[in-house]
Amino acid sequence: DEVVFTAVGKKGGGTLRFRGKVLDEHFQGFSGEPTFSDATTVADFVTSRFLEGEVDSVELVYTRFVSAGSQEVVLRPLVPLERELVDETTPQQAEEVAGYEFEPDPSAILETLMPRYIEARVFAALLNAAASEHAFRQRAMKSATDNAEELIKNLSRIMNRARQDAITTEIMEIVGGAEALGGDKSQDTKYIDLGPVSEPVGR
């Protein structure tokens, strides 16, 4: 099947282009802090492609935020919607539900609610992706900080060891020089006996 991609975010579009994929549209500039209006823009574009018959279905691929340390890539159908994704009632609950009267008719309600539902799902995907990106950046920065602190400790030990070695070498050189000078003086000193010293005459 022929597949076209609608990318949201700079990284996503760049990766798809690098892999030679066809980009139908590329939305960017809001992936870090998405708003509901941004989600509406994306949802309206992909929904219009489906309603006009240009694509058979639209699937949503995004990174789902599980926790600060865990994210997962998921694929969910967007349009047409599958009943299992919308209807959460069990068969027993469905039998027990009484009939409802709708005002206006169900088709009008569905036409009003479905676009809002699709927009909400796109918005949730954008928020999950943004949260996952921030969590990944936080982990990367923490890892970089930990590595930098460990590197500082190692370099500090090396610097202290080198400084101690230099000080020890200087002390040994000073002590060695002092001992050498002391030995030279003891060997070169000569005593000459001049006899009794008389007082100068005329004083």
Side-chain angles (χ1 to χ4, degrees), residues 115-179:
R116 305 287 83 78
Y117 178 75
I118 294 173
E119 292 168 1
R121 290 192 60 196
V122 173
F123 186 47
L126 293 177
L127 292 178
N128 271 275
S132 300
E133 181 180 358
H134 292 321
F136 180 80
R137 285 181 176 176
Q138 184 180 15
R139 292 201 311 274
M141 291 302 296
K142 185 179 185 304
S143 177
T145 301
D146 294 342
N147 292 337
E149 291 177 352
E150 185 66 23
L151 183 61
I152 290 173
K153 290 180 181 178
N154 294 334
L155 292 177
S156 297
R157 293 193 188 102
I158 295 173
M159 183 186 67
N160 292 335
R161 190 178 299 114
R163 185 172 59 184
Q164 290 173 0
D165 292 342
I167 294 173
T168 303
T169 303
E170 291 179 1
I171 293 174
M172 292 177 64
E173 290 176 353
I174 294 172
V175 172
E179 290 179 352

Side-chain angles (χ1 to χ4, degrees), residues 11-91:
K11 289 291 184 182
T15 301
L16 291 171
R17 285 196 178 97
F18 178 76
R19 296 179 178 274
K21 304 299 182 182
V22 178
L23 283 185
D24 192 23
E25 185 61 58
H26 187 192
F27 298 94
Q28 54 183 331
F30 56 82
S31 58
E33 297 180 359
T35 63
F36 193 80
S37 61
D38 298 326
T40 300
T41 302
V42 177
D44 289 346
F45 175 79
V46 296
T47 303
S48 63
R49 293 293 305 267
F50 174 75
L51 294 177
E52 292 171 4
E54 297 177 359
V55 295
D56 297 325
S57 64
V58 179
E59 294 184 344
L60 197 60
V61 183
Y62 62 97
T63 307
R64 188 172 74 90
F65 180 83
V66 180
S67 65
S70 175
Q71 297 85 41
E72 62 178 0
V73 179
V74 296
L75 185 147
R76 298 285 186 271
L78 187 63
V79 285
L81 290 175
E82 296 181 1
R83 184 180 182 89
E84 291 76 10
L85 296 176
V86 181
D87 188 5
E88 298 181 353
T89 58
T90 63

